[in-house]
Amino acid sequence: MGIADNKWVVGARPRTLPAALAPVLVGTAVAAGGNAVVAWRAAAALVVALALQVGVNYANDYQDGVRGTDRNRVGPIRLVATGLASPATVRRAALVSFGVAGLAGLALAAVVAPWLIAVGAACIAAAWAYTGGPRPYGYAGLGEMFVFVFFGVVAVTGSAYVQEGHLSALALGASVPVGLLATALLVVNNLRDRSGDDAAGKRTLAVRLGDRGTRVMYGGLVVGALVCPLGLAAAATPWALLALVAVPLAVAPVRRVMAGASGIDLVAVLGQTGRLQLVFAVGLAAGLWAR
């Protein structure tokens, strides 16, 4: 089966999906901790997270494609830039994905708290405005901050809230390493595309920091995430240390980034970072669930 036959899977950028799965695992585990979990709420939260991630990937493909910033990009195939799909079709795929996220979110809001509708609307707006609209924040170097907030803090605390009905300090604390690793995924992506983005006038944080600064940031994000379980172990439960099972998976991507990996080599680092995030989240979730 050729690339064209898999274009929607490729366009969804599967390597980024751990960023959607990880916070739901951790947030649900925060709420569990000896309490019963409402399975359908966890499933709905996962649908929201995955649909938002896929939606932002399609939206980014569409928006960068029509702006022309994807013409010389290295890495996963872009549907619009390569002509595999029309801009209108990719835009529609993004909107459908956001619609799926919205419907799942409405179901949760109906039984948990109506104000969650506003949170969901903010998530969708942030996903679209990353590279869309007249002043996309991803072009201004703010993408990393928004990823940390929405795929870290909001996603983890939200997944816990739909189970517990309140915001906890543990959920906030657990959201930090999840957000740091989600941000590391974006940093690798933007490091890979730094030269092309700079030429296209896309002023990502990687463009602003430069090559060396971006590599140091990536290493700092990964190390920072791996240190967080120590704090969680001291403040909440020693079982949080189970997240450290992921430490060996951090060695290769950090070493490759700090050694100067570029171009297609960073596509492999993106996959390694996604695996690191997923294993870290599974370990942390197991520890929080066992407390």
Side-chain angles (χ1 to χ4, degrees):
M1 187 176 290
I3 289 176
D5 297 316
N6 293 280
K7 63 183 180 182
W8 296 109
V9 173
V10 174
R13 305 180 197 175
R15 287 186 178 89
T16 67
L17 296 186
L21 178 58
V24 178
L25 287 175
V26 172
T28 302
V30 167
N35 301 313
V37 167
V38 182
W40 80 263
R41 294 186 188 182
L46 182 58
V47 169
V48 170
L50 288 172
L52 281 174
Q53 181 67 64
V54 171
V56 75
N57 288 342
Y58 285 143
N60 175 246
D61 190 306
Y62 161 71
Q63 291 152 349
D64 277 354
V66 296
R67 289 176 189 272
T69 54
D70 269 349
R71 287 196 188 100
N72 301 310
R73 191 174 301 276
V74 175
I77 294 295
R78 297 296 190 262
L79 300 177
V80 173
T82 59
L84 283 174
S86 69
T89 305
V90 177
R91 181 177 182 272
R92 191 177 307 117
L95 295 177
V96 168
S97 299
F98 292 144
V100 170
L103 288 174
L106 283 173
L108 288 170
V111 299
V112 179
W115 60 264
L116 290 175
I117 295 173
V119 176
C123 290
I124 292 173
W128 184 261
Y130 172 53
T131 52
R135 302 190 68 176
Y137 64 82
Y139 282 42
L142 299 175
E144 285 77 4
M145 180 183 73
F146 277 79
V147 164
F148 178 82
V149 169
F150 285 99
F151 284 94
V153 178
V154 173
V156 173
T157 59
S159 297
Y161 187 91
V162 299
Q163 299 288 343
E164 297 181 302
H166 66 270
L167 181 63
S168 69
L170 180 56
L172 282 171
S175 74
V176 173
V178 174
L180 291 176
L181 289 175
T183 305
L185 279 171
L186 180 60
V187 169
V188 169
N189 185 78
N190 287 345
L191 174 62
R192 182 197 66 213
D193 298 334
R194 191 181 65 83
S195 297
D197 286 342
D198 191 15
K202 186 176 179 180
R203 303 287 293 171
T204 63
L205 189 58
V207 171
R208 294 169 183 270
L209 291 177
D211 184 81
R212 184 62 184 172
T214 305
R215 294 178 190 277
V216 171
M217 182 181 182
Y218 173 81
L221 289 168
V222 172
V223 172
L226 295 176
V227 168
C228 285
L230 302 179
L232 291 171
T237 172
W239 287 105
L241 295 176
L242 284 177
L244 297 182
V245 70
V247 168
L249 296 178
V251 175
V254 170
R255 181 178 292 165
R256 293 177 79 170
V257 168
M258 300 309 293
S262 61
I264 198 68
D265 290 337
L266 289 174
V267 175
V269 172
L270 185 65
Q272 291 173 329
T273 306
R275 286 190 291 275
L276 167 65
Q277 184 184 28
L278 187 56
V279 172
F280 179 92
V282 169
L284 182 57
L288 295 175
W289 200 300
R291 77 187 190 280

